[in-house]
Amino acid sequence: NVVLRIEGFEPDSYAAHQRVPHWDIGTELGIIDGERAVKISGSMFTMYRGWGARLLRAMVQLSLDRNADAYEEVRPPTLVRTETMVATGHLPKFADEAYQVERDDLWAIPTAEVPLTSLHRDEVLDEADLPLRYTSYTSCFRREAGSAGRDTRGLLRVHEFDKVELLAYTTPDQAAAIHAEILARAESLLADLGLAYRVLDLCAGDLGASSA
């Protein structure tokens, strides 16, 4: 459990909220306004207000700053071409989960991984320049079509969310070490914030081609 140190919120009163959903706590604190987000955009959208908006912005900045020593920051376009989505395996498999601007044949990115992976598509890179490390903060868009009928209140399984991505281009021999580096960076941020987390190892047989 995480205690939010917010002005006007006494930590001692947190015990009374331990079994209260985060969307109720967020509404009570005035940091989440789901009702007006739904009014403006429909279900499965959320809105941060006041300290909530500040917290989100601070977390993004902290994430970018923590990785600025080795990762070049990139702000890619939020809309990408069909071939860019195909290059990461998001199309055609996840077409039902994606937002498409049909008039322009563009797609709203579900993750910054999509444009970053195509950053050097159709280019020949010099092995001496590898690894190339990139970090990116973007809004991400997902229909979450598979969550129909589930409880999707609050900040889980929403259509739009913000994320800081870490991605690297490597040789096969470099890949394992860089993957471990990215994991360590993600873990260190969570640990320093005092947040509970777990690392999940997936069975190789459960990994698709793009994950591998």
Side-chain angles (χ1 to χ4, degrees), residues 93 179 200-212:
K93 183 177 181 180
H179 182 247
L200 180 63
D201 282 329
L202 296 179
C203 172
D206 293 333
L207 294 177
S210 69
S211 293

Side-chain angles (χ1 to χ4, degrees), residues 74-78 109 111-112 115 136-140 161-164:
V74 177
R75 181 54 174 95
T78 307
I109 61 171
T111 165
S136 183
Y137 156 60
T138 63
S139 291
C140 303
F161 58 94
D162 294 339
K163 181 162 68 79
V164 173

Side-chain angles (χ1 to χ4, degrees), residues 92-112:
K93 183 177 181 180
F94 298 111
D96 290 342
E97 296 284 344
Y99 281 95
Q100 183 181 17
V101 183
E102 294 183 3
R103 177 177 175 179
D104 303 295
D105 192 25
L106 294 172
W107 300 77
I109 61 171
T111 165

